[in-house]
Amino acid sequence: METVSSKSNSQKNRGFLFEPQGTVSKERSSQKLNPSNSNADGKWGQDASAIELEDEINRLIDNIPSASAVLKGVIKETPLIYSSFFSDEGSNQVYIKPENLQRTGAFKIRGAYYKLSRLTEKEKRSGVVTASAGNHAQGVALAACEMGISATIVMPSATPLIKVNATKAYGAEVILSGDNFDEAYQYAKQINLQTGRVFIHPFEDFEVMTGQGTIGAEIMAELPSADVVLVPVGGGGLIGGIAAYVKTHYPNCKVIGVEPEGAASMKLAFSKDGICKLDAVHTIADGVAVKTVGEANYQLARRFVDEIITVSDYDIMDAFLMLLEKHKIVAENAGALSLAGLKKLNVSDQQVVCVVSGGNIDVVTVSAMINKGLTRRGRIFCFSVDLPDTPGQLLNIAQLLSDHKANVIKLDHNQFMNFDRFSHVQLQVTVETNGHDHIRAIVGGLNSIGYTVKQVY
């Protein structure tokens, strides 16, 4: 089997095409390969010609079947799940590709394992290094463990302990460095250069993308009549691999990427005809909160992806909650992006596959997501009223809530909160409700007996 890159003595960046950067220059896109610009392992870095990029893309597509064979018995099978709920909501036939049920809890094991399987024996003896705050770290750690390869993972200092321990559990050495991914990445690259460990990029690596592309092969093998595949987009490795396979073999099937509104780096790149760096990212979907996509990933997406759509954090919360409530499946916020994107599709009576990319989420975040999601859907209602400081007022409120079948979760009757009116007390109540119509009925009932309601959330 052909390798993606030529082999040499050092090969520190084998398969890694481009360094993260800002805006792409028009001049670079037309440059031919200049041997003097090649790096130590024979890769051409930022001066990749269109011909060589084409060769890489062709190898990626051609190698996906062999990558599937390599991963057989390593990864968990994740057959499609038909969702009657999401189908009815959008008037389409919706299927879920549950990569949140994958080993390590995310799709990343696919690309990591395939990448490591392609290393030479010398490279394996040198060990590997990468930077990640979560799923890629665990994928590389597990793959390295199963192949007997030494792995060093650099994670940002603020990485939750649960993710650090999960990565350590696979036998990797974990180094905490930097306040964010970019700083951890730079430190990992230093280790790469100083020690000769092979750097495994989270997304901008054609062999990694080949591994991720096996998801596309599995989807189309199981549902060859699929009309649309929705894929979460972060750095672009997942959608690059999937789209390359799907659009090559099933050109009539649309591949649509989904990004958070607060981290829409691929959508920006599409609009600017080249990658650009966002000034900041703001989203609950931390797994895809990247300021810039990879250049190789952008080139793949530009060629094979039909559209990029964006969703709000509220859309993500809704999708997370419905997946949990209706299917008893837990996804991380980034993993639920594809389901959130269903509401943005302008199609009906189509077969739509949503890739749920991961499920690594801690219980504190799950609790917060559930509570916020329930509030948004009108399932929890918190309000306050000012009551005259006389006996029987609390009973009036309780009776009305009982009449409206609203179950009280929490109640705070505080005589000292209302400073404007010394003869009144403030009552704050949280109740379980059955939707926004139910909330409106409760508010109307309270108004009808003389109470002014202030919604807290």
Side-chain angles (χ1 to χ4, degrees):
M1 189 185 304
E2 275 190 310
T3 60
V4 171
S5 64
S6 59
K7 295 181 173 65
S8 70
N9 291 332
S10 60
Q11 290 197 338
K12 294 183 179 68
N13 299 313
R14 182 174 173 275
F16 176 60
L17 288 184
F18 305 95
E19 292 286 348
Q21 56 190 321
T23 306
V24 179
S25 67
K26 293 181 179 179
E27 297 88 277
R28 192 175 69 216
S29 64
S30 62
Q31 285 179 333
K32 298 300 181 181
L33 177 62
N34 181 346
S36 65
N37 290 328
S38 299
N39 60 24
D41 60 6
K43 298 303 291 185
W44 52 89
Q46 297 181 355
D47 296 323
S49 71
I51 295 174
E52 286 150 338
L53 180 61
E54 186 76 20
D55 289 343
E56 291 284 8
I57 292 173
N58 289 337
R59 274 194 288 270
L60 184 157
I61 296 166
D62 292 343
N63 287 344
I64 286 176
S66 60
S68 295
V70 169
L71 294 173
K72 188 174 180 61
V74 174
I75 62 172
K76 182 179 179 180
E77 293 184 3
T78 55
L80 297 178
I81 299 171
Y82 177 74
S83 173
S84 57
F85 172 78
F86 286 109
S87 295
D88 293 341
E89 272 213 331
S91 301
N92 287 300
Q93 300 170 47
V94 177
Y95 297 82
I96 297 167
K97 178 64 171 172
E99 284 296 294
N100 57 314
L101 304 181
Q102 189 53 263
R103 293 184 71 187
T104 73
F107 73 95
K108 290 284 191 176
I109 181 62
R110 294 173 180 265
Y113 192 95
Y114 181 67
K115 172 66 180 180
L116 267 61
S117 75
R118 301 285 286 165
L119 299 180
T120 65
E121 290 304 313
K122 181 178 180 180
E123 289 171 327
K124 290 178 180 179
R125 288 193 298 270
S126 297
V128 297
V129 62
T130 193
S132 170
N135 293 339
H136 179 67
Q138 294 179 57
V140 171
L142 175 58
C145 177
E146 298 210 340
M147 296 185 196
I149 299 172
S150 171
T152 297
I153 315 292
V154 182
M155 309 181 84
S157 299
T159 301
L161 185 61
I162 187 172
K163 294 185 177 182
V164 174
N165 289 339
T167 305
K168 287 181 177 179
Y170 294 120
E173 175 193 11
V174 174
I175 298 174
L176 299 180
S177 178
D179 295 329
N180 50 51
F181 170 77
D182 289 338
E183 292 179 7
Y185 170 87
Q186 293 301 329
Y187 190 72
K189 290 296 291 179
Q190 289 180 30
I191 295 174
N192 159 236
L193 295 172
Q194 292 169 3
T195 68
R197 285 179 175 268
V198 180
F199 184 78
I200 310 298
H201 198 282
F203 49 84
E204 198 169 8
D205 183 304
F206 276 107
E207 290 171 334
V208 170
M209 285 188 278
T210 301
Q212 323 304 23
T214 59
I215 296 174
E218 291 173 12
I219 289 172
M220 302 314 294
E222 192 172 354
L223 191 69
S225 56
D227 298 296
V228 180
V229 179
L230 290 173
V231 186
V233 178
L238 177 61
I239 197 169
I242 291 176
Y245 181 88
V246 172
K247 298 300 288 187
T248 298
H249 298 285
Y250 300 86
N252 293 328
C253 178
K254 289 188 176 181
V255 179
I256 298 175
V258 188
E259 289 185 303
E261 291 175 352
S265 51
M266 186 68 82
K267 189 175 183 66
L268 178 64
F270 272 35
S271 67
K272 299 293 186 180
D273 290 325
I275 61 172
C276 304
K277 188 173 184 178
L278 297 171
D279 293 331
V281 292
H282 302 285
T283 177
I284 60 173
D286 58 303
V288 294
V290 299
K291 291 184 178 181
T292 180
V293 299
E295 172 138 354
N297 310 101
Y298 165 71
Q299 296 294 343
L300 274 171
R302 200 64 173 150
R303 177 177 302 192
F304 295 113
V305 175
D306 293 278
E307 184 183 358
I308 300 292
I309 58 178
T310 58
V311 296
S312 70
D313 281 355
Y314 290 112
D315 294 328
I316 298 170
M317 280 195 295
D318 284 346
F320 168 88
L321 187 62
M322 290 300 97
L323 182 64
L324 179 62
E325 185 173 25
K326 301 300 182 180
H327 289 282
K328 310 304 181 283
I329 293 175
V330 178
E332 60 190 84
N333 296 331
L337 274 170
S338 56
L339 291 168
L342 286 169
K343 293 182 179 180
K344 302 298 180 75
L345 291 182
N346 296 316
V347 298
S348 60
D349 297 321
Q350 300 279 290
Q351 292 184 323
V352 182
V353 179
C354 296
V355 178
V356 176
S357 56
N360 288 320
I361 184 170
D362 63 84
V363 291
V364 174
T365 305
V366 169
S367 176
M369 290 289 290
I370 290 173
N371 287 328
K372 290 178 180 178
L374 289 174
T375 300
R376 177 171 165 78
R377 295 182 70 86
R379 301 283 298 281
I380 293 178
F381 175 45
C382 180
F383 65 93
S384 68
V385 293
D386 290 341
L387 306 178
D389 192 10
T390 58
Q393 296 297 321
L394 183 58
L395 178 61
N396 292 340
I397 301 293
Q399 185 61 56
L400 185 138
L401 293 175
S402 175
D403 292 344
H404 282 80
K405 302 294 188 292
N407 186 44
V408 176
I409 300 173
K410 183 180 179 181
L411 184 147
D412 184 18
H413 184 265
N414 195 327
Q415 286 182 304
F416 307 108
M417 283 296 293
N418 196 327
F419 298 108
D420 297 329
R421 305 172 69 182
F422 289 97
S423 60
H424 283 64
V425 298
Q426 185 182 85
L427 177 70
Q428 187 173 104
V429 187
T430 305
V431 293
E432 290 180 330
T433 48
N434 295 320
H436 295 290
D437 288 341
H438 191 197
I439 290 174
R440 282 189 284 270
I442 293 170
V443 172
L446 290 168
N447 290 338
S448 70
I449 58 176
Y451 296 109
T452 299
V453 178
K454 297 178 182 178
Q455 183 167 348
V456 179
Y457 56 81

